[in-house]
Amino acid sequence: MNQPLISFIIADYNLPCEMLCECIDSILALPLSSLEREIIVVDDGSESSALNGLAKYGEELIYIRQAHQGLSAARNTGIQMSRGKYLQFVDGDDRLICSPYGHCIDIIKSGKYDMVVFDFTKSALEDKAFTDRHHQSGSEYMRLYNIRGTACGYIFKKSCLGDLRFTTGIYHEDEEFTPLLLLRTEKTCVTDAKAYFYRQRQDSIITDTYIRKRIKRLNDLKSVIIRLNIIADKLPANDKTALQRRVAQLTMDYIYQMILLTRSRNYLNKRIEELRELGLFPLPDKGYTTKYKWFCRLSKSRAGLNILMQTIPLLKKER
């Protein structure tokens, strides 16, 4: 049996069937033959199966239904079942855009790269001109640039995974998975092609459940930061520098999110002391970005934290 070029792993949980079909149709529209693609839909315990609604695709896709375990477990199942040389994660309520993603496929077909990183869009318009940056490794890319953590933002060679999988039962699983995967890639291409259409989610009402969910998100992000920091200390010099940059960025985001989501100075002070004990605070003085430099400077003093508390907008609704 021929090996597909790309396995598309679609995670589905309680999505309208028509939305899931839009996602699948966007993959079928790509410049790939049926032998070059593999579409795997992992239904993570939806209340009702989408199988009947997907019957029209016949052998164009593989449908797997499992007990509800979360996004990480669904993607891990997709990895286990996949046969493609390259993998692409797609959320079932999003879709791929033909021309920009076709550009990514052309890069993959050149056989030079382990990973192609592309851009996101909330517009259905297709750009025709693209600019690419080429890096010797994912480590080099991480040392020089901020990265976007989401696992849907790149195509990657399955052989790079080794034993790497998504941690189950947590939020921010992408933020842990993506930098560790990048460190395993030897040649990476970064393109500005807006190849992934991200659908804006509906706002949620703030409830007690919502508050608990936000606190869990914060705690899970802190756990990811701690694990990545421990891993960084054991890496060779260049990889360590690359991962430390990501740890610093995530720590900045963690502090930002604490202010945004809790509006509690007491909570912020306690968590900052935890970070200090772990050697994660103050943030390292690095010129990563203008935003990082200003945030780093402000977060070091009580007066600066007061400014951040006043200027970071109050979150009223969850996207």
Side-chain angles (χ1 to χ4, degrees):
M1 184 179 294
N2 292 331
Q3 182 184 28
L5 178 66
I6 306 175
S7 290
F8 297 89
I9 298 171
I10 304 173
D12 167 37
Y13 177 65
N14 285 341
L15 291 174
C17 190
E18 59 271 18
M19 188 178 290
L20 190 56
C21 288
E22 284 183 25
C23 177
I24 295 168
D25 289 341
S26 75
I27 297 172
L28 293 175
L30 298 174
L32 291 167
S33 71
S34 58
L35 295 178
E36 292 177 308
R37 66 173 178 256
E38 178 181 58
I39 303 175
I40 302 171
V41 176
V42 183
D43 181 340
D44 187 49
S46 298
E47 293 177 7
S48 60
S49 171
L51 186 57
N52 289 338
L54 301 180
K56 62 182 179 180
Y57 295 108
E59 296 183 357
E60 290 284 0
L61 61 81
I62 299 167
Y63 178 82
I64 302 167
R65 183 169 167 82
Q66 64 182 30
H68 181 53
Q69 302 170 64
L71 178 60
S72 292
R75 287 175 174 169
N76 288 342
T77 296
I79 291 171
Q80 180 181 351
M81 297 299 299
S82 64
R83 297 186 301 110
K85 183 176 181 180
Y86 292 86
L87 303 184
Q88 172 69 62
F89 298 111
V90 189
D91 288 344
D93 48 355
D94 298 330
R95 62 180 184 268
L96 302 177
I97 304 179
C98 190
S99 178
Y101 198 89
H103 176 69
C104 300
I105 291 172
D106 289 340
I107 297 172
I108 285 296
K109 286 185 173 181
S110 73
K112 299 177 182 178
Y113 300 99
D114 297 323
M115 178 184 285
V116 177
V117 181
F118 47 79
D119 207 350
F120 287 70
T121 182
K122 296 177 184 177
S123 168
L125 298 177
E126 296 194 12
D127 295 331
K128 299 298 181 183
F130 314 110
T131 303
D132 307 330
R133 296 196 310 266
H134 309 284
H135 299 277
Q136 290 302 309
S137 67
S139 176
E140 179 190 69
Y141 171 44
M142 289 173 63
R143 291 196 303 273
L144 296 175
Y145 299 97
N146 289 353
I147 66 169
R148 182 186 288 110
T150 176
C152 294
Y154 45 81
I155 318 170
F156 66 96
K157 190 175 289 184
K158 184 179 180 180
S159 59
C160 292
L161 275 175
D163 61 355
L164 179 63
R165 296 295 185 272
F166 290 94
T167 299
T168 58
I170 67 168
Y171 294 113
H172 300 289
E173 65 279 344
D174 291 14
E175 297 290 7
E176 182 177 38
F177 179 88
T178 297
L180 296 181
L181 176 62
L182 273 163
L183 291 178
R184 296 168 181 238
T185 62
E186 294 183 1
K187 295 205 71 175
T188 303
C189 178
V190 182
T191 177
D192 63 2
K194 298 183 185 302
Y196 192 100
F197 180 85
Y198 174 82
R199 192 185 300 270
Q200 186 75 35
R201 274 67 168 179
Q202 293 293 320
D203 290 336
S204 300
I205 299 173
I206 298 178
T207 63
D208 289 343
T209 301
Y210 165 87
I211 298 299
R212 289 195 296 270
K213 179 179 176 182
R214 300 316 297 181
I215 296 299
K216 176 172 169 51
R217 283 186 178 275
L218 288 172
N219 289 337
D220 286 350
L221 179 55
K222 180 180 68 174
S223 296
V224 166
I225 292 168
I226 292 170
R227 286 196 294 272
L228 291 179
N229 191 51
I230 292 171
I231 292 170
D233 284 340
K234 302 175 183 178
L235 295 175
N238 284 341
D239 289 354
K240 180 177 182 178
T241 300
L243 194 52
Q244 284 178 332
R245 173 173 179 153
R246 189 60 186 160
V247 166
Q249 292 167 331
L250 288 175
T251 304
M252 179 187 74
D253 187 57
Y254 173 60
I255 296 170
Y256 179 95
Q257 293 295 327
M258 279 193 288
I259 296 171
L260 186 68
L261 301 177
T262 72
R263 314 306 299 178
S264 169
R265 184 57 185 267
N266 288 335
Y267 185 87
L268 178 64
N269 289 343
K270 289 178 181 178
R271 300 291 86 80
I272 283 180
E273 284 308 307
E274 288 179 354
L275 293 175
R276 195 187 304 274
E277 291 174 5
L278 292 165
L280 294 166
F281 188 88
L283 295 170
D285 285 315
K286 301 287 184 179
Y288 294 142
T289 65
T290 300
K291 176 183 176 182
Y292 177 87
K293 287 188 291 185
W294 276 104
F295 196 98
C296 179
R297 184 179 304 173
L298 288 171
S299 66
K300 287 181 179 179
S301 69
R302 189 176 188 86
L305 285 172
N306 287 337
I307 292 173
L308 290 174
M309 289 288 292
Q310 294 166 8
T311 56
I312 293 176
L314 176 63
L315 181 69
K316 295 182 179 179
K317 294 181 178 179
E318 178 189 15
R319 191 175 68 183

